[in-house]
Amino acid sequence: MGEPRLVLYNTLTRRKEEFRPIDPDNLRVYACGPTVYDFAHIGNARPLIVFDVLFRLLRHLYGADHVTYVRNITDVDDKINARAARDYPGMELNEAIALVTGKTTDQYHADAKALGCLEPTIEPRATDNIAQMQNMISTLIARGHAYEAAGEVLFDVTSMPDYGALSNRKLEDQQAGARVAVDEHKKNPGDFVLWKQSNDQEPGWPSPWGVGRPGWHLECSAMSERFLGETFDIHGGGLDLIFPHHENEIAQSRCAHGSQRMANVWMHNGFLQVEGQKMSKSVGNFITIHELLATDKFGGRSWPGEVLRLAMLMTHYRDPIDFSRRKLEEAERLLAKFARKVGEAPVTDNVDAESVAFLSDDLNFSGALARISALEGEVLASTLSMLGFSQYRIRDAAGMDEAIIAERIAERLALIARKDWTQADAIRDELAEMGVQLKDGKDPETGERVTDWEMR
Ligand code: AMP
Ligand code: ZN
């Protein structure tokens, strides 16, 4: 067998590239995980799912034992401190923080599982890696890339000639365009915090620069170095992390290691908005993964995790998603159709090669899905399982969808009343594909048109 062919879009070079692992026996991937101060929202589900598909594809192509996937937990951050103080007033802050991060991490794990995501190979917590972070700071200071000022250690962005390469920002433009007033103690407005001192309430660790805590960017540089080495294969996250988070990770890691690359390929998922609007608490369209799966807050009903997973993947990972009830319904119908076609077929290694070829072209999931829709039985079951879909089978296709079927029938009757035959027929055909046969008739008493159904 030759090397698998895999093409990925690289934010660093702004083009699709043939992927070449540093070590085909140990592919090394890092994705930035959550800051555990609040339950993950459905936008956060996107990188979770996208990089899980990447992890699964790499395991399929290179062998399950040959991929190391690190996804961290950021459990020290000022947003966590603020949330702990708000939710547990009067409690000792560090105790309150433990409650917030513990509860949020548990929910995050439950969400990831419900969405069909594998556990990452390693899930480091920032607070378990403070010594590594402090070592990196010492190295950066020794190499002239960082300095102490006003109780902080800061990274000097002018010490790195190609700072800004990932986000394609030139330092001069950043400086000239900076509207924020320069903090007095910073040498340059773009300098960012590696370490800051804590008061005796805040979480803090002893260090040569006083009792303090790390900056967010530093956490990922230290954890990726520890578990994946100085240069690794792929680094992922959402689009909003390109600047400043990933730019600053690159600056820290490359300057500490004296290396040309932190990761060879940088992948970023596009953003998700809801029914045409940015998701935000003030707009009132903010929804957590947990709420979508376990309450009727979105579209008046709850949704299975795999329905959310499929709905998310139907849009290419780099494109924006406009999330809607319609998308979920479409995904649910598709899963019901798959459930019917899979029947009792077993999951084996018999994964469809053409579907894999589509995915190997920068995760072209839509292409794969069109192909998957034509599969049957064992190959269909195995290909879906490789992609993280297996729970759909537990639910019997007919039982699962009674409510949906009733709703689609009502929609069709309304279309018929409007003489929109094309749309009405489309619904009939779509239900037929799910194995639902419609039987039109008249109500004997009222003479109204009614539709009954049965499973074929
Ligand atoms: P955060 O906890 O805000 O650092 O976000 C965790 C991950 O979710 C990061 O990779 C973000 O880029 C990503 N993310 C946050 N909001 C969205 C969104 N609306 N759509 C897609 N990805 C998002
Ligand atoms: Zn990160």
Side-chain angles (χ1 to χ4, degrees):
M1 202 181 87
E3 276 236 341
R5 188 183 149 78
L6 172 61
V7 170
L8 296 172
Y9 182 86
N10 188 353
T11 307
L12 198 57
T13 55
R14 291 168 191 84
R15 55 187 165 81
K16 280 195 192 180
E17 291 172 352
E18 187 105 19
F19 175 69
R20 293 253 167 271
I22 298 167
D23 172 5
D25 289 333
N26 183 20
L27 271 85
R28 306 191 299 271
V29 183
Y30 188 96
C32 298
T35 302
V36 283
Y37 71 102
D38 201 356
F39 287 3
H41 58 66
I42 57 174
N44 302 138
R46 197 170 187 194
L48 199 56
I49 294 167
V50 164
F51 294 108
D52 179 67
V53 168
L54 176 72
F55 181 36
R56 287 169 176 276
L57 176 66
L58 294 173
R59 284 160 58 98
H60 179 78
L61 293 175
Y62 291 90
D65 298 339
H66 296 170
V67 187
T68 305
Y69 175 36
V70 176
R71 193 182 63 209
N72 70 291
I73 300 265
T74 292
D75 60 353
V76 48
D77 188 283
D78 287 359
K79 283 190 288 234
I80 299 175
N81 305 349
R83 178 58 62 100
R86 191 196 81 180
D87 286 1
Y88 302 97
M91 190 185 285
E92 199 266 315
L93 186 62
N94 283 298
E95 240 174 82
I97 286 172
L99 289 179
V100 169
T101 57
K103 185 174 77 176
T104 315
T105 304
D106 289 349
Q107 184 62 53
Y108 175 73
H109 287 151
D111 290 346
K113 190 162 179 221
L115 294 176
C117 297
L118 296 173
E119 284 177 21
T121 323
I122 304 166
E123 190 180 58
R125 285 164 205 259
T127 51
D128 292 332
N129 293 276
I130 301 290
Q132 285 74 14
M133 296 172 204
Q134 294 184 350
N135 280 340
M136 193 171 262
I137 295 174
S138 300
T139 308
L140 288 170
I141 293 174
R143 288 178 170 242
H145 292 291
Y147 60 96
E148 272 188 86
E152 293 183 341
V153 182
L154 293 146
F155 185 93
D156 177 353
V157 288
T158 57
S159 74
M160 182 187 191
D162 57 347
Y163 178 80
L166 180 72
S167 55
N168 209 8
R169 298 169 181 229
K170 288 213 175 61
L171 201 52
E172 307 86 72
D173 302 345
Q174 293 174 42
Q175 310 265 40
R179 289 194 1 251
V180 275
V182 183
D183 284 313
E184 287 288 307
H185 66 298
K186 287 189 183 180
K187 288 189 189 167
N188 317 286
D191 290 355
F192 56 90
V193 170
L194 302 175
W195 191 260
K196 62 174 146 190
Q197 285 178 9
S198 301
N199 63 31
D200 47 1
Q201 280 296 300
E202 291 162 335
W205 290 263
S207 85
W209 321 283
V211 173
R213 56 199 192 278
W216 172 40
H217 314 307
L218 184 68
E219 299 177 9
C220 290
S221 283
M223 289 186 275
S224 62
E225 177 202 73
R226 175 168 179 194
F227 297 105
L228 299 175
E230 295 187 353
T231 300
F232 52 94
D233 293 290
I234 301 174
H235 191 127
L239 211 59
D240 59 322
L241 298 187
I242 296 176
F243 189 88
H245 184 54
H246 288 168
E247 199 70 80
N248 293 348
E249 282 188 30
I250 291 175
Q252 296 159 157
S253 295
R254 284 188 44 208
C255 290
H257 303 139
S259 61
Q260 284 306 305
R261 287 273 174 103
M262 176 187 184
N264 282 335
V265 183
W266 289 78
M267 291 176 70
H268 294 96
N269 65 269
F271 248 49
L272 171 146
Q273 53 173 22
V274 177
E275 316 256 350
Q277 278 188 297
K278 184 179 180 306
M279 189 166 48
S280 87
K281 287 199 167 134
S282 56
V283 176
N285 62 355
F286 183 96
I287 177 128
T288 66
I289 299 171
H290 177 68
E291 285 168 340
L292 189 98
L293 304 190
T295 74
D296 61 1
K297 275 204 179 170
F298 193 83
R301 52 165 290 204
S302 65
W303 302 88
E306 287 189 357
V307 169
L308 174 57
R309 182 180 178 92
L310 184 58
M312 201 71 88
L313 290 170
M314 288 183 328
T315 303
H316 189 265
Y317 78 93
R318 286 193 280 121
D319 290 337
I321 293 188
D322 189 21
F323 202 73
S324 62
R325 182 187 164 125
R326 267 197 128 14
K327 270 227 158 63
L328 289 168
E329 285 171 345
E330 196 184 333
E332 184 158 55
R333 285 198 294 274
L334 216 48
L335 282 176
K337 182 176 126 185
F338 293 155
R340 190 173 64 83
K341 291 219 282 178
V342 162
E344 301 293 312
V347 169
T348 65
D349 293 340
N350 193 358
V351 171
D352 177 56
E354 264 191 56
S355 303
V356 172
F358 276 112
L359 291 166
S360 303
D361 178 13
D362 196 30
L363 306 184
N364 178 359
F365 193 88
S366 305
L369 199 58
R371 166 78 189 160
I372 288 167
S373 296
L375 301 174
E376 313 252 349
E378 179 194 321
V379 186
L380 176 57
S382 308
T383 307
L384 286 172
S385 168
M386 189 273 276
L387 287 167
F389 297 96
S390 49
Q391 297 159 15
Y392 69 96
R393 287 228 264 181
I394 302 165
R395 295 139 31 97
D396 148 61
M400 163 165 128
D401 293 306
E402 285 205 23
I404 303 180
I405 292 168
E407 211 175 280
R408 298 300 277 168
I409 287 175
E411 266 177 57
R412 177 170 168 269
L413 287 173
L415 289 164
I416 290 173
R418 275 189 265 133
K419 303 205 186 326
D420 186 344
W421 310 111
T422 322
Q423 293 289 331
D425 286 352
I427 292 183
R428 190 198 53 211
D429 294 347
E430 169 205 303
L431 288 171
E433 268 209 71
M434 288 161 57
V436 177
Q437 181 103 48
L438 299 186
K439 290 183 296 181
D440 288 318
K442 278 201 165 45
D443 184 309
E445 278 169 31
T446 63
E448 258 177 61
R449 179 188 262 273
V450 290
T451 302
D452 207 355
W453 63 272
E454 63 182 17
M455 292 305 289
R456 256 185 307 147

